[in-house]
């Protein structure tokens, strides 16, 4: 039991009716969602505060510490919180890098509700805001030995600045030349089972007798590097991802025949005879499901490797792109130390009183949140950011920043 704290943050200043002003040493915000108050922020070491979450339940008068899923924002110099819907709270962190200042705390989305059931606790989930329409992640599935890894390696080699591999966890032993953290995170079964229980995985499955799984962190790490995330996972995993909120493209790779698949597996020479037979038995069911389950958007036959690779590039819109010409577009804005926030429909207006604006002119930054996609587990994409210059005597102009 406890009391609602006295917040360091002064809200309702400058005539803004639903924002928070960060001129004070703000370290906590409170946002009401239904009969709960989400208190975000916390421990302040004088220069930065970590972003913890507590929930005050008005009906019971009790404080609850929720399970917090997803990578949370780094400690920052304060933040603003704006209720976007009954599902999520927008957080703008102060003093963060331009690409790391917009976050979403999901409090009642589909994913959060599912996790509440699984974990039996109160749950909230962080999702970082990504500007513009980042390319969708790509899920590549197919039976063992069909050539998924070979095709993915070709993509990584040709498009190193565009494609990033989601490094899975597995309980199987490393093969010769496989490196921990590069090909897989090789993990003890007990550790992986515990992490699964704590909701760290986007999906996991028992495949050919071992546990395999994609951690939320693995997908986020690729998104953070500004690259398109490529996942190599089995059909069960693809089904789980399809059911999640990760908006991806699903591609199934088929062998020309079972005979050819067997020859490739044997020629690879990485499995014991017993393992090869197990993988071939599983392959029949996987091919059946790959073709008929409706999980996959595209099926590619890997008969001739070069042709299959060309078709894969075609599906990903990479055909004809000269890799050396590609440069990620620089984008982003620095949120000034002093700002306040107002929500109007699907726009969030950030009133920036920069130190240079001693002449009374102000700058407005507008976040358009009408086209948001994705969300936890993973990033929230589709955020558009605009600058509206000098509005003391009227608007000078609107510039899209992303
Ligand atoms: N089109 C092809 N023709 C002939 N051999 C191929 C072709 N594609 C891949 N291979 C070979 O088949 C073997 C299996 O390929 P790869 O390891 O990429 O399969 P995989 O689908 O990633 O398997 P796993 O799911 O077990 O990781 C490799 O030795 C690879 O060089
Ligand atoms: N569901 C998941 N399946 C995965 C993941 N990582 C790999 N895999 C699949 O496992 C088999 C066997 O892989 P191998 O490296 O032991 O040959 C293969 O079909 C992969 O696609 C994962 O994170 N989740």
């Amino acid at each position: 039991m406890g009391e609602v704290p006295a917040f360091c943050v002064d809200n309702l200043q400058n005539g803004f009716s639903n924002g928070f002003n960060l001129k004070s040493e703000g370290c906590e915000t409170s946002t009401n969602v239904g009969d709960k108050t989400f208190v975000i922020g916390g421990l302040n070491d004088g220069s930065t505060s970590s972003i913890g979450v507590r929930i005050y339940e008005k009906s019971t008068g009790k404080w609850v510490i929720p399970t917090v899923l997803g990578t949370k924002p780094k400690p920052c110099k304060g933040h603003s919180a704006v209720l976007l819907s009954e599902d999520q709270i927008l957080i703008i962190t102060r003093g963060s890098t331009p690409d790391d200042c917009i976050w979403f705390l999901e409090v009642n989305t589909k994913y959060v509700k599912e996790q509440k059931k699984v974990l039996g606790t109160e749950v909230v989930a962080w999702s970082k805001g990504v500007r513009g329409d980042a390319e969708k992640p790509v899920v590549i599935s197919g039976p063992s030995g069909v050539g998924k890894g070979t095709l993915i390696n070709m993509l990584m080699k040709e498009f190193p600045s565009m494609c990033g591999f989601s490094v899975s966890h597995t309980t199987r032993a490393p093969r010769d030349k496989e490196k921990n953290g590069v090909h897989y995170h090789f993990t003890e079964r007990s550790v992986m089972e515990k992490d699964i229980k704590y909701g760290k995985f986007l999906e996991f499955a028992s495949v050919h007798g071992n546990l395999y799984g994609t951690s939320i962190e693995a997908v986020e790490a690729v998104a953070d590097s500004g690259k398109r995330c490529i996942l190599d996972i089995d059909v069960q995993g693809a089904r789980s991802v399809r059911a999640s909120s990760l908006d991806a493209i699903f591609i199934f790779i088929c062998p020309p025949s079972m005979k050819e698949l067997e020859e490739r597996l044997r020629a690879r020479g990485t499995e014991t005879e017993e393992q090869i037979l197990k993988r071939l038995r599983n392959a029949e069911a996987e091919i059946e499901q790959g073709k008929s389950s409706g999980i996959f958007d595209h099926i590619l036959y890997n008969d001739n490797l070069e042709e299959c690779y060309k078709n894969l590039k075609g599906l990903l819109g990479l055909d004809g792109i000269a890799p050396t010409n590609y440069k990620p577009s620089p984008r982003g804005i620095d949120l000034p130390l002093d700002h306040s926030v107002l929500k109007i429909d699907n726009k969030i207006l950030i009133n920036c009183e920069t130190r240079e604006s001693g002449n009374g002119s102000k700058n407005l930054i507008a976040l358009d949140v009408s086209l948001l996609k994705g969300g936890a587990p993973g990033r929230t994409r589709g955020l558009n950011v605009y600058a509206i210059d000098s509005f003391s005597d009227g608007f000078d102009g609107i510039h899209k920043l992303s």
Side-chain angles (χ1 to χ4, degrees), residues 28-225:
E28 283 188 333
T29 55
S30 77
T31 306
N32 291 317
V33 185
D35 79 334
K36 293 174 184 163
T37 303
F38 289 81
V39 177
I40 303 165
L43 301 174
N44 198 333
D45 75 359
S47 58
T48 59
S49 60
S50 70
I51 305 240
V53 182
R54 291 175 290 151
I55 304 172
Y56 183 72
E57 291 183 344
K58 291 179 217 161
S59 55
T60 60
K62 285 188 177 153
W63 283 100
V64 176
I65 305 296
T67 302
V68 180
L69 301 178
T71 311
K72 61 181 178 179
K74 294 190 191 95
C76 56
K77 295 176 177 167
H79 68 273
S80 289
V82 184
L83 182 63
L84 276 191
S85 63
E86 293 298 294
D87 295 348
Q88 56 183 346
I89 300 167
L90 174 81
I91 303 293
I92 307 162
T93 60
R94 198 181 82 177
S96 308
T97 59
D99 278 341
D100 198 32
C101 60
I102 295 165
W103 290 77
F104 296 85
L105 183 70
E106 300 195 1
V107 297
N108 209 20
T109 54
K110 185 172 158 237
Y111 172 67
V112 166
K113 284 184 205 156
E114 280 164 9
Q115 293 301 317
K116 277 184 193 172
K117 274 194 208 147
V118 173
L119 300 172
T121 61
E122 191 63 59
V123 171
V124 295
W126 284 106
S127 171
K128 188 166 137 175
V130 176
R131 292 181 192 163
D133 259 334
E135 297 283 6
K136 285 183 185 184
V138 183
V139 171
I140 298 187
S141 275
S144 177
V146 73
K148 304 178 297 293
T150 307
L151 289 162
I152 292 171
N153 284 341
M154 290 166 87
L155 272 181
M156 297 299 157
K157 210 168 162 198
E158 191 176 358
F159 302 100
S161 59
M162 295 174 86
C163 298
F165 183 58
S166 157
V167 181
S168 296
H169 282 63
T170 182
T171 60
R172 89 149 158 73
R175 294 173 186 144
D176 282 353
K177 295 191 188 152
E178 277 185 337
K179 289 201 186 104
N180 191 32
V182 175
H183 299 93
Y184 281 107
H185 298 288
F186 295 100
T187 313
E188 291 288 325
R189 182 174 275 266
S190 58
V191 174
M192 194 160 161
E193 284 173 348
K194 203 169 85 197
D195 286 348
I196 288 171
K197 198 170 149 216
Y198 284 118
K200 290 192 179 170
F201 283 85
L202 171 63
E203 63 77 32
F204 60 91
S206 173
V207 190
H208 318 313
N210 283 299
L211 265 185
Y212 293 77
T214 308
S215 70
I216 293 166
E217 208 177 325
V219 175
E220 290 188 347
V222 178
D224 283 353
S225 67

